[in-house]
């Protein structure tokens, strides 16, 4: 072949390498085994995961004046409203903690979970145009959403830490589990990320065919907040109804988060149950997601 | 040469119509059959993919039992009419969707270029988008970094590399996007009609680059409607028609096959119930069109004759026929309006013979669109009925003077002009 531009590829595949000779590196079949999750494929595309996170971060703040400051304003106002309505007006219990700090300790992790869930539940429908043109492990997209949402969480977490420091300095009676903060904080974030991801990809798989779930998720997440001890402590629920709230896998991480920073007993057993439920949900989610990703272009 | 892609009996079934209506009941039905160990009930009723006829089934085969192989270093052209199943095949090969039945095996990475600039983000700079697009296409970050300078040079966008791509002209956008794709290190490259964009110089550059890629022992699957590009680039070709593999062979043979056979062929065109792209009043309707004789092959200069069967629904007296001749690749060559001389009364069926005298068509493959109506391009016209994609025919070099016409080049166009007068001045 004539070649005007000289060989640009320093690593052309060698024609007689044994690997190419006798084994197929890729098989496209109508059906694959459900346990074939192709996670190695996801690992091969890890650079793309990072680039998506970067893209999301850079593109969100382009052409906004306040930039990441928006993440401060939203939880600050929400907490203020909660403090006025639930604490001052409705006189709901905050387990003896300062109301402002109590609500921030609830909404900060809850917001992270809720954002992860809502954003990942849109994966297929939102990315249909790019998914329709090129293959890469689709799981990269929800994973990148969960990762880039950590930035938003980090900013709100800083806000929370600021308030915590203020209340500690003015001598409020708060007893954080100092020794556990370093271990439990990342563990809880991971747990909530996994939960948001698992539930989100299940919903996103269902929305490809039945769009109804898009509407369900919008107010479902809001309703779910009231079934999670975000604006009330678990202790305010009558003993015999408590199991209902504990069935919600988000209850334990929120309670634990609050206990680590504000003091109180850490609900180890419910955390264990929540972790098991999360693992199951995530596994089911990945299996469904993998099944749907192969042919969702035909139905979306 | 070893085989790098092997496609075996691949079929793809699509459900027509609005998705969501009744799909739940179909899902339940399908699940019920599966539970009892029976075959999917909807696989049976699928019809072959002919977009012009309206079939009874809601399910249609976009691809049916397609099998072929691609060898290492081979550039395979995939040709076929719109809706023949080319895009479906590419989508299955690039793993955007799965086949309904059949299997594809491949050696090495497959990179697909079904669209230029997939995943480009308008807010990001050219630099960021190179990395992003490269990663989407399956490159690792260090691979892109190593090739970064080459990519920028190939695209010719060095000056704007740190500008957000939303400020790029569409040409620059395409150049940058193709540059990324051209530097993929995949063993198999799938390219769909991307050459349709960009200016002529860049198109040549792309073709050159693809030839290089093939020269390095990598394989390319190339889809195009541009037969010139197919001939220039590919070494072999397959022709798809109505979702089936109609032909497989050398690139030249495939293009020839496509040009001559791969149209709704035959001598008689029953068009009464054919779907119309444009619906007129149908005061007079075209029922059928046909070539007399045995084959629609005419020598250059020979009078092309066909007959038309018309039926009137009201009294329009008289009307005329008009026609447009298209090249096999879809380019219109020219049109002609006949005289208003067809006397046709209400509910009458009438045959008319049409003679195309002295049409200066160069050797090649053509087809026609035929209309019945009144008026012409000078006095204004109205069409009652129009049928497209009919009356395929071939014009061959005349037997007598082979030396002149047989050497007619495709690049000279489709019309042999009568003559020119040259008057030398001393």
């Amino acid at each position: 072949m004539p070649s005007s531009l000289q060989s640009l590829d320093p690593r052309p595949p060698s024609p007689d390498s044994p690997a190419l000779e006798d084994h197929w590196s890729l098989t496209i079949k109508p059906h694959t085994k459900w346990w074939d999750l192709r996670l190695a494929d996801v690992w091969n595309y890890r650079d793309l995961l990072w680039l998506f996170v970067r893209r999301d971060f850079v593109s969100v703040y382009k052409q906004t004046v306040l930039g990441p400051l928006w993440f401060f304003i939203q939880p600050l106002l929400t907490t203020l409203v909660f403090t006025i309505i639930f604490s001052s007006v409705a006189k709901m219990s905050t387990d003896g903690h300062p109301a402002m700090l109590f609500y921030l300790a609830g909404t900060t992790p809850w917001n992270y979970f809720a954002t992860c869930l809502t954003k990942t539940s849109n994966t297929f429908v939102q990315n249909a145009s790019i998914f329709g043109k090129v293959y890469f492990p689709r799981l990269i997209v929800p994973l990148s959403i969960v990762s880039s949402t950590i930035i938003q969480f980090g900013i709100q977490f800083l806000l929370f830490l600021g308030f915590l420091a203020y209340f500690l300095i003015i001598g409020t009676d708060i007893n954080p589990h100092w020794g556990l903060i370093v271990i439990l904080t990342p563990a809880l974030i991971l747990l909530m990320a996994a939960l948001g991801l698992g539930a989100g990809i299940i919903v996103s798989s269902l929305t490809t065919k039945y769009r109804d779930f898009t509407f369900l998720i919008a107010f479902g997440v809001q309703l779910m907040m009231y079934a999670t001890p975000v604006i009330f402590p678990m202790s305010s629920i009558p003993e015999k109804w408590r199991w209902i709230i504990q069935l919600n896998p988000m209850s334990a991480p929120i309670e634990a988060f609050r206990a680590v920073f504000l003091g109180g007993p850490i609900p180890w057993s419910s955390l264990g149950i929540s972790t098991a439920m999360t693992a199951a949900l995530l596994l089911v989610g990945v299996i469904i997601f993998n099944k749907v990703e192969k042919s969702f272009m035909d139905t979306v | 040469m070893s085989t790098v892609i092997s496609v075996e009996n691949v079929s793809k079934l699509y459900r027509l119509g609005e998705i969501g209506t009744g799909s739940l009941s179909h899902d339940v039905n399908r699940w019920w059959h599966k539970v009892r160990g029976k075959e999917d009930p909807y696989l049976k009723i699928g019809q072959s993919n002919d977009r012009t006829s309206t079939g009874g089934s809601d399910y249609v085969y976009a691809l049916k039992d397609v099998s072929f192989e691609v060898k290492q270093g081979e550039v395979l052209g995939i040709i076929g009419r719109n809706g023949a199943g080319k895009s479906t095949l590419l989508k299955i090969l690039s793993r955007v969707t799965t086949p309904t039945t059949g299997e594809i095996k491949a050696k090495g990475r497959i990179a697909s270029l079904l669209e230029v600039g997939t995943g480009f983000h308008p807010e990001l700079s050219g630099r960021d988008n190179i990395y992003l697009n490269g990663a989407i296409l399956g490159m690792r970050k260090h691979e892109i970094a190593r090739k970064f300078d080459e990519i920028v040079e190939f695209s010719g966008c060095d000056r704007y590399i740190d500008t957000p791509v939303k400020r790029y002209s569409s040409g620059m956008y395409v150049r940058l996007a193709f540059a990324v794709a051209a530097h993929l290190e995949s063993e198999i490259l799938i390219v769909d009609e991307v050459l349709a964009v960009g200016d002529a110089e860049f198109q040549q550059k792309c073709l050159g680059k693809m030839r290089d890629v093939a020269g390095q022992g990598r394989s390319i699957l190339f889809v195009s409607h541009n037969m010139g590009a197919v001939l220039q680039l590919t070494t072999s070709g397959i022709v798809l028609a109505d979702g089936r593999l109609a032909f497989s062979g050398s690139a030249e043979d495939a293009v020839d096959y496509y040009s001559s056979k791969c149209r709704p062929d035959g001598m008689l065109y029953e068009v009464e119930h054919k779907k119309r792209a444009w619906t007129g009043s149908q005061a007079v309707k075209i029922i059928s069109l046909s070539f007399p004789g045995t084959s629609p092959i005419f020598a250059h200069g020979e009078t092309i004759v066909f007959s038309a069967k018309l039926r009137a629904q009201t009294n329009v007296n008289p009307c005329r026929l008009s026609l447009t001749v298209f090249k096999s690749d879809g380019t219109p060559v020219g049109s002609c309006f006949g005289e208003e001389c067809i006397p046709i009364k209400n509910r009458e069926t009438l045959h008319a013979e049409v003679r195309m005298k002295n049409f200066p068509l160069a050797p090649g493959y053509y087809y026609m669109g035929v209309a019945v109506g009144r008026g012409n391009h000078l006095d204004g016209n109205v069409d009652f009925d129009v049928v497209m994609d009919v009356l395929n025919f071939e014009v061959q070099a005349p037997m007598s003077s082979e030396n002149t016409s047989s050497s007619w080049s495709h690049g000279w166009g489709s019309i042999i002009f009568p003559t020119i007068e040259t008057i030398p001045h001393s």
Side-chain angles (χ1 to χ4, degrees):
Chain A
M1 285 270 170
S3 123
S4 48
L5 306 138
Q6 53 312 97
S7 177
L8 294 173
D9 187 352
R11 194 175 57 93
S14 120
D16 33 43
S17 78
L20 274 178
E21 271 304 324
D22 42 18
H23 107 273
W24 301 101
S25 61
L26 173 73
T27 313
I28 302 169
K29 280 187 291 194
H31 306 286
T32 46
K33 303 280 180 270
W34 62 266
W35 60 82
D36 181 17
L37 299 181
R38 286 171 294 161
L39 294 179
D41 226 9
V42 177
W43 176 246
N44 286 335
Y45 275 81
R46 58 191 181 277
D47 287 343
L48 181 60
L49 173 68
W50 162 241
L51 285 162
F52 272 147
V53 172
R54 208 183 109 86
R55 176 197 68 180
D56 290 346
F57 187 71
V58 174
S59 59
V60 163
Y61 300 116
K62 278 272 168 87
Q63 300 197 349
T64 61
V65 179
L66 294 180
L69 268 185
W70 282 111
F71 285 148
F72 275 117
I73 296 164
Q74 188 246 336
L76 211 57
L77 287 177
T78 324
T79 311
L80 213 62
V81 171
F82 283 174
T83 311
I84 294 166
I85 293 177
F86 296 119
S87 176
S88 307
V89 179
K91 302 269 186 264
M92 282 168 68
S93 158
T94 57
D95 252 359
H97 301 300
M100 194 78 179
L101 213 49
F102 179 86
Y103 294 129
L104 261 183
T107 51
T108 305
W110 174 261
N111 274 347
Y112 176 60
F113 166 76
T115 312
C116 284
L117 176 56
T118 347
K119 278 192 178 168
T120 50
S121 69
N122 257 330
T123 306
F124 282 119
V125 177
Q126 201 119 76
N127 293 282
S129 64
I130 174 169
F131 284 179
K133 294 296 179 192
V134 65
Y135 171 81
F136 54 86
R138 309 311 192 201
L139 208 50
I140 290 286
V141 172
L143 279 172
S144 80
I145 291 170
V146 169
S147 311
S148 61
T149 311
I150 284 192
I151 298 163
Q152 174 200 329
F153 171 78
I155 294 165
Q156 301 188 353
F157 187 56
L158 281 179
L159 181 75
F160 168 70
L161 288 183
F163 273 92
L164 183 69
Y166 168 77
F167 279 103
L168 280 172
I169 288 164
I170 63 166
T172 319
D173 180 29
I174 303 169
N175 305 297
H177 297 265
W178 293 112
L180 285 173
I181 284 181
V182 190
I183 310 158
L184 264 187
T185 314
L188 287 175
I189 295 171
L190 206 65
L191 183 62
M192 291 186 294
L195 193 56
L197 179 71
I201 57 180
I202 290 177
V203 176
S204 74
S205 307
L206 296 173
T207 44
T208 59
K209 233 179 167 176
Y210 313 109
R211 279 311 145 82
D212 315 45
F213 287 92
T214 326
F215 303 102
L216 192 69
I217 201 77
F219 72 88
V221 170
Q222 276 185 336
L223 287 185
M224 200 179 154
M225 190 180 87
Y226 296 101
T228 314
V230 175
I231 51 164
F232 54 86
M234 198 63 128
S235 61
S236 69
I237 303 293
E239 198 77 58
K240 61 173 180 172
W241 299 119
R242 223 170 265 179
W243 63 274
I244 299 177
I245 303 293
Q246 264 162 350
L247 267 185
N248 175 355
M250 259 314 275
S251 298
I254 298 279
E255 280 280 291
F257 187 86
R258 197 177 273 141
V260 167
F261 286 97
L262 304 183
I266 290 172
W268 291 111
S269 58
S270 14
L271 258 188
I273 297 169
S274 170
T275 310
M277 283 168 79
T278 303
L281 197 70
L282 189 60
L283 184 68
V284 171
V286 174
I287 290 168
I288 296 180
F289 192 86
N290 264 300
K291 195 171 158 48
V292 168
E293 74 160 30
K294 283 181 297 171
S295 61
F296 90 102
M297 276 319 295
D298 306 338
T299 53
V300 75
Chain B
M1 284 282 200
S2 68
T3 306
V4 288
I5 299 181
S6 146
V7 175
E8 290 159 21
N9 294 316
V10 165
S11 300
K12 177 76 187 176
L13 188 72
Y14 273 114
R15 185 163 188 276
L16 295 179
E18 211 170 314
I19 290 191
T21 50
S23 71
L24 189 60
S25 67
H26 282 196
D27 281 355
V28 171
N29 195 359
R30 192 177 272 141
W31 171 82
W32 176 234
H33 275 74
K34 207 175 165 188
V35 167
R36 291 179 298 162
K38 294 201 175 169
E39 205 189 326
D40 191 330
Y42 299 108
L43 281 181
K44 286 182 239 165
I45 58 176
Q47 302 190 327
S48 86
N49 169 24
D50 179 358
R51 91 194 122 85
T52 50
S53 72
T54 35
S57 169
D58 270 356
Y59 288 82
V60 112
Y61 277 107
L63 280 179
K64 183 81 175 123
D65 297 328
V66 171
S67 305
F68 62 92
E69 285 190 342
V70 183
K71 303 259 183 261
Q72 194 180 4
E74 186 177 340
V75 183
L76 180 78
I78 302 173
I79 45 190
R81 295 197 303 162
N82 286 332
K86 303 183 301 284
S87 299
T88 306
L89 180 61
L90 291 200
K91 277 188 175 169
I92 293 173
L93 280 168
S94 42
R95 287 193 284 168
V96 166
T97 185
T98 46
T100 310
T101 57
E103 194 173 275
I104 295 169
K105 286 184 258 172
K107 288 169 188 165
R109 283 199 284 182
I110 298 182
S112 56
L113 201 52
L114 302 194
E115 178 192 65
V116 164
T118 309
F120 263 39
H121 195 289
E123 295 285 356
L124 298 182
S125 68
R127 183 186 304 276
D128 288 341
N129 269 313
I130 288 178
Y131 278 98
L132 186 63
N133 189 233
I136 286 176
L137 292 171
M139 279 199 269
R140 297 294 313 279
K141 211 175 167 189
H142 58 83
E143 283 179 84
I144 308 167
R146 186 154 45 82
K147 298 209 157 197
F148 188 82
D149 292 337
E150 281 174 33
I151 294 173
V152 175
E153 198 199 310
F154 187 85
S155 72
C157 295
D158 351 11
R159 251 187 95 184
Y160 305 95
I161 205 65
D162 289 311
T163 311
V165 294
K166 65 176 175 183
R167 312 241 179 270
Y168 280 31
S169 74
S170 52
M172 273 159 63
Y173 189 93
V174 167
R175 279 164 171 264
L176 190 68
F178 186 84
V180 179
H183 290 80
L184 286 173
E185 290 188 344
S186 62
E187 285 75 24
I188 300 153
L189 185 65
I190 298 176
V191 187
D192 185 9
E193 203 77 86
V194 282
L195 294 174
V197 289
D199 55 22
E201 177 232 330
F202 190 68
Q203 285 186 13
Q204 280 310 313
K205 206 169 166 183
C206 295
L207 282 175
K209 180 70 196 174
M210 284 203 266
R211 233 173 274 133
D212 278 357
V213 167
Q216 289 157 16
R218 288 144 73 184
S219 312
I220 301 180
L221 276 76
F222 180 62
V223 167
S224 182
H225 285 113
N226 179 347
M227 293 303 135
V230 169
L231 286 173
Q232 218 182 332
L233 187 69
T234 62
T235 50
S236 53
I238 57 171
V239 180
L240 291 178
D242 294 341
R244 286 162 203 273
L245 187 71
F247 181 86
S248 163
S250 78
E252 288 80 7
D253 291 348
V255 170
D256 273 356
Y257 181 91
Y258 171 70
S259 308
S260 59
K261 300 247 177 60
C262 197
R263 319 204 115 262
D265 52 358
M267 309 292 289
L268 175 67
Y269 295 80
E270 302 273 14
V271 292
E272 185 173 5
H273 300 296
K274 189 179 146 112
K275 236 186 205 163
R276 309 293 206 253
W278 178 85
T279 320
S281 70
Q282 306 214 326
V284 180
K285 204 172 171 187
I286 302 172
I287 305 298
S288 68
L289 297 159
S290 62
F291 283 118
T294 51
S295 67
I297 298 172
F298 304 91
H300 170 73
E302 189 184 331
T303 301
I304 298 166
V305 182
F306 68 89
S307 64
K309 187 177 169 188
L310 308 171
R311 186 181 299 143
Q313 321 250 346
T314 51
N315 268 316
V316 270
N317 199 15
C319 60
R320 56 99 184 118
L321 285 171
S322 66
L323 62 88
T324 303
V325 174
F326 295 89
K327 256 189 85 171
S328 60
D329 64 4
T331 332
V333 176
S335 294
C336 175
F337 291 88
E339 290 283 321
E340 279 180 17
C341 63
I342 308 169
I344 189 163
K345 294 189 193 75
N346 193 9
R347 306 206 173 269
E348 191 186 24
T349 305
L350 184 137
H351 290 266
E353 195 178 80
V354 181
R355 296 167 176 272
M356 299 159 66
K357 274 188 188 163
N358 296 324
F359 268 52
L361 294 171
Y365 298 95
Y366 302 91
Y367 64 93
M368 282 186 251
V370 180
V372 57
R374 300 193 67 170
N376 57 38
H377 60 293
L378 298 173
D379 312 327
N381 85 100
V382 56
D383 284 332
F384 303 141
D385 191 21
V386 183
V387 280
M388 301 299 286
D389 279 326
V390 288
L391 296 169
N392 298 290
F393 64 98
E394 185 185 350
V395 173
Q396 286 183 339
M399 303 299 173
S400 51
S401 56
E402 245 170 272
N403 49 341
T404 51
S405 306
S406 62
S407 59
W408 185 266
S409 159
H410 279 294
W412 295 346
S414 306
I415 294 175
I416 305 178
F417 295 127
T419 186
I420 43 172
E421 274 180 43
T422 316
I423 301 145
H425 292 279
S426 52

